[in-house]
Amino acid sequence: MWRRVASVFTLLAPSRSSVLNKVPHNLKFLEVFATEVMTPTEDGVLSKVKTPFITFVLGGPGSGKGTQCLKIVESFGFTHLSAGDLLRKETSTNAKFCDMINDTIKEGGIVPSELTVKLIQGAIDSSENYKFLIDGFPRSEENRSAFEKITGAEPNIVLFFDCPEEEMVRRVLSRNEGRLDDNIDTMKKRLKTFTALSLPVINYYSEKGKLLKINAVGTEDEVFEQVRPVFAKYEKEIR
Ligand code: ADP
Ligand code: C5P
Ligand code: MG
């Protein structure tokens, strides 16, 4: 019988009771896919727990991360957590941070990592799933180190959607979802942020041998045909 570990998130200290603490450290790329571990319950009895399987989904603004995540969800049963969506949702429920988040998004900047990590960890801990796509995170070295420090976890796989700037600009300007940041002025700033702060994280995972680079040019289905085998290869383990 599967048992999920409930957790309470603590902002400043590593939350040792989080389900994320079940992710083994320092695993080589694809060494483990949703492993089972034995964990003591409150009454001291050992029970099986599935460790979370974490995929970071990276790429510039408009590269198609969200679109491909929906396809992975449909085909492989992952839970999709977009950092941008979590931050936008927070603006309607958290008056304290609303202006700061909106201003940062409008300026194409990056929201302080502790807040974003808190939102991601909260979403993971309140999910019954164990397979997660964390989309648009980490967007900076600070994001990356805060996630590792706060959760004690590392991603199992990192997908990178590689897309030329002109194509990203075209897609963002025709997205038409009423977003504060889908305009040419903010887009220029987002591209600068991507080059200065996000590319170093992508290089970091490449050097670690965890990065899977996907050519984001082509129809949505053509791009997904590159993504599918990544997950299909491990379907048995993640089902
Ligand atoms: P991201 O999450 O990386 O910012 P989205 O998935 O929201 O990107 O895609 C940005 C826009 O481009 C959306 O309007 C989406 O419908 C469109 N789009 C996504 N993938 C493709 C593709 N392969 N070709 C053309 N347009 C795409
Ligand atoms: O990924 P998405 O395009 O939805 O992100 C929108 C904005 O949300 C980013 O440009 C950035 O301002 C903010 N964001 C952030 N930190 C993240 C993800 C998104 O500050 N890790
Ligand atoms: Mg998106």
Side-chain angles (χ1 to χ4, degrees):
M1 188 172 55
W2 299 121
R3 187 179 69 85
R4 227 175 156 281
V5 179
S7 83
V8 178
F9 177 78
T10 340
L11 192 58
L12 295 172
S15 53
R16 290 292 159 218
S17 57
S18 169
V19 70
L20 282 165
N21 300 127
K22 303 292 169 223
V23 177
H25 284 251
N26 302 322
L27 293 173
K28 291 202 190 88
F29 171 52
L30 294 181
E31 196 171 295
V32 165
F33 228 95
T35 50
E36 298 163 11
V37 292
M38 300 299 283
T39 303
T41 57
E42 282 88 42
D43 53 11
V45 177
L46 286 178
S47 76
K48 277 185 195 166
V49 175
K50 271 199 172 182
T51 60
F53 185 84
I54 308 276
T55 302
F56 284 162
V57 182
L58 306 180
S63 57
K65 302 181 294 297
T67 304
Q68 293 299 319
C69 282
L70 295 184
K71 290 178 176 291
I72 301 166
V73 167
E74 274 169 28
S75 296
F76 298 102
F78 276 69
T79 290
H80 175 210
L81 302 175
S82 154
D85 286 350
L86 290 170
L87 289 166
R88 282 183 285 272
K89 193 168 151 219
E90 194 69 358
T91 61
S92 51
T93 54
N94 188 334
K96 190 173 150 205
F97 293 135
C98 176
D99 288 349
M100 181 277 287
I101 295 171
N102 277 335
D103 290 348
T104 307
I105 289 178
K106 260 190 259 171
E107 286 307 308
I110 294 182
V111 169
S113 300
E114 282 193 355
L115 173 58
T116 313
V117 173
K118 183 191 114 173
L119 297 176
I120 293 169
Q121 189 168 30
I124 288 175
D125 285 342
S126 61
S127 169
E128 287 301 311
N129 204 346
Y130 60 92
K131 301 177 278 191
F132 299 96
L133 301 168
I134 305 186
D135 161 5
F137 183 96
R139 256 189 164 80
S140 64
E141 279 293 311
E142 201 219 358
N143 265 188
R144 182 187 66 73
S145 59
F147 184 86
E148 284 176 18
K149 187 169 156 220
I150 292 171
T151 69
E154 285 191 30
N156 298 72
I157 314 182
V158 182
L159 291 185
F160 166 45
F161 289 96
D162 188 22
C163 194
E165 284 200 357
E166 319 82 74
E167 179 64 15
M168 292 196 274
V169 172
R170 242 191 318 272
R171 290 182 188 178
V172 160
L173 296 185
S174 52
R175 180 152 47 190
N176 214 9
E177 287 177 4
R179 281 174 51 162
L180 288 174
D181 52 348
D182 283 352
N183 58 74
I184 189 63
D185 290 341
T186 306
M187 183 56 179
K188 283 182 186 161
K189 294 177 185 171
R190 290 160 76 189
L191 289 172
K192 278 192 183 154
T193 301
F194 176 68
T195 304
L197 301 180
S198 310
L199 273 181
V201 179
I202 289 161
N203 291 333
Y204 169 87
Y205 286 120
S206 175
E207 279 160 24
K208 282 196 107 183
K210 284 197 176 189
L211 195 78
L212 286 158
K213 185 163 148 179
I214 308 286
N215 175 11
V217 180
T219 65
E220 292 176 13
D221 287 344
E222 282 166 354
V223 176
F224 189 61
E225 286 317 310
Q226 298 172 68
V227 172
R228 186 197 300 281
V230 172
F231 295 96
K233 194 170 170 193
Y234 295 93
E235 200 165 7
K236 256 193 217 147
E237 289 88 336
I238 59 173
R239 283 279 168 211

